[in-house]
Amino acid sequence: MGDVWAFGRDSGFVAGQELVGFDVESTDGVIGHVERLEDEPGKQHLVVDTGVWKFGRSVLIPAGAVTVVDGGERKVKVAASREEIKSAPRFTTDSETTDHGYLADVGAYYVSLRA
């Protein structure tokens, strides 16, 4: 994983692409859908509604964890399992998307998954 806060060149993401509503698939199944996309350089991430889980909640996934953006299938694939995503630092409020400490924790967590 290169820059954890940027979409990889090979992901298929096109700048300005609208991903809201796309299904999000972990390495072991669908986890929900894109609720919001932050496309600001250095802070690119998805907020994913995981309502399909028993105790659905939103999670924040850095763009660097995205492996594939398929516009035709309206699907985003990420390089993490359901359990890894569930174990990420908990996302509770939108204000966390601007909290540098929280973003640093999330970024470090996703980087550690690939170490």
Side-chain angles (χ1 to χ4, degrees):
M1 190 179 310
D3 178 4
V4 73
W5 297 108
F7 286 96
R9 292 181 202 199
D10 298 335
S11 70
F13 177 75
V14 178
Q17 185 174 11
E18 184 55 58
L19 300 180
V20 172
F22 278 39
D23 287 335
V24 179
E25 189 175 302
S26 69
T27 58
D28 56 355
V30 174
I31 61 162
H33 67 274
V34 178
E35 194 174 343
R36 287 187 303 289
L37 163 68
E38 175 58 61
D39 197 11
E40 183 180 330
K43 288 203 267 185
Q44 291 178 316
H45 62 267
L46 306 174
V47 174
V48 178
D49 177 355
T50 63
V52 297
W53 286 341
K54 185 174 181 179
F55 298 103
R57 61 180 170 99
S58 293
V59 294
L60 186 139
I61 299 177
V66 172
T67 56
V68 175
V69 174
D70 185 334
E73 293 286 323
R74 294 186 47 84
K75 184 182 298 184
V76 174
K77 294 184 179 185
V78 296
S81 70
R82 289 177 179 205
E83 276 308 309
E84 289 170 333
I85 293 167
K86 283 182 185 180
S87 297
R90 191 166 183 96
F91 175 77
T92 54
T93 67
D94 287 340
S95 64
E96 289 173 324
T97 62
T98 58
D99 179 330
H100 295 292
Y102 173 75
L103 293 177
D105 289 347
V106 171
Y109 174 77
Y110 277 90
V111 167
S112 76
L113 296 178
R114 304 299 150 227

